[in-house]
Amino acid sequence: QVQLVESGGESVQAGGSLRLSCQISGRTAHTYLGYCLSWHRQVPGKQREGVATIDADGRTDYVDSVKGRFTISKDYAKTTTYLQMNSLKPEDTAMYYCAVGWDRVCAWTVDSINRWGKGTQVTVSS
């Protein structure tokens, strides 16, 4: 069974950078690199928010609040997706989750998600 495990979250000061990783493991892990991969974030008391997506062909999309600061990528050999986060702001503080979708193309909907990771905490102080 496929598993997604995030890492890289920590506490940083505003203006700093972090790179989150999401390792996809399991017998069919390579298959999932050919589906939509995405990063989401959630703060207590609020709905989970989609942050970035990358489809099977490598096309990326971002929520407006992170455009120009965050970059999503994937590495087939390592069955890993990354979220490079630069110029971090206190409002980026959240639990960050990676996810794999049902399709090759991405949709910003919860029912498009097949599997979730358990999350990694990012805290940005001012």
Side-chain angles (χ1 to χ4, degrees):
Q1 187 172 355
V2 66
Q3 287 190 319
L4 285 68
V5 179
E6 301 93 336
S7 62
E10 59 181 77
S11 296
V12 296
Q13 289 197 327
S17 297
L18 284 175
R19 188 176 81 156
L20 305 183
S21 300
C22 174
Q23 173 77 57
I24 302 170
S25 62
R27 284 196 308 164
T28 58
H30 284 89
T31 301
Y32 286 95
L33 269 288
Y35 288 79
C36 175
L37 301 173
S38 55
W39 285 91
H40 307 252
R41 63 188 179 187
Q42 189 170 23
V43 296
K46 293 191 175 181
Q47 282 193 327
R48 194 168 294 188
E49 172 190 40
V51 174
T53 65
I54 184 166
D55 71 10
D57 295 324
R59 287 184 292 257
T60 59
D61 198 10
Y62 302 89
V63 68
D64 285 347
S65 60
V66 309
K67 283 181 179 176
R69 300 189 298 123
F70 290 12
T71 303
I72 187 172
S73 61
K74 60 183 176 180
D75 185 325
Y76 275 90
K78 297 181 179 179
T79 61
T80 299
T81 179
Y82 302 97
L83 185 67
Q84 177 67 44
M85 306 187 296
N86 298 328
S87 302
L88 283 161
K89 304 176 181 180
E91 51 263 43
D92 294 319
T93 295
M95 184 72 79
Y96 283 73
Y97 301 88
C98 67
V100 60
W102 292 103
D103 290 315
R104 292 172 49 86
V105 295
C106 295
W108 293 90
T109 59
V110 173
D111 60 5
S112 69
I113 302 300
N114 179 4
R115 286 275 194 276
W116 292 95
K118 294 188 176 181
T120 185
Q121 177 68 38
V122 172
T123 303
V124 185
S125 58
S126 57

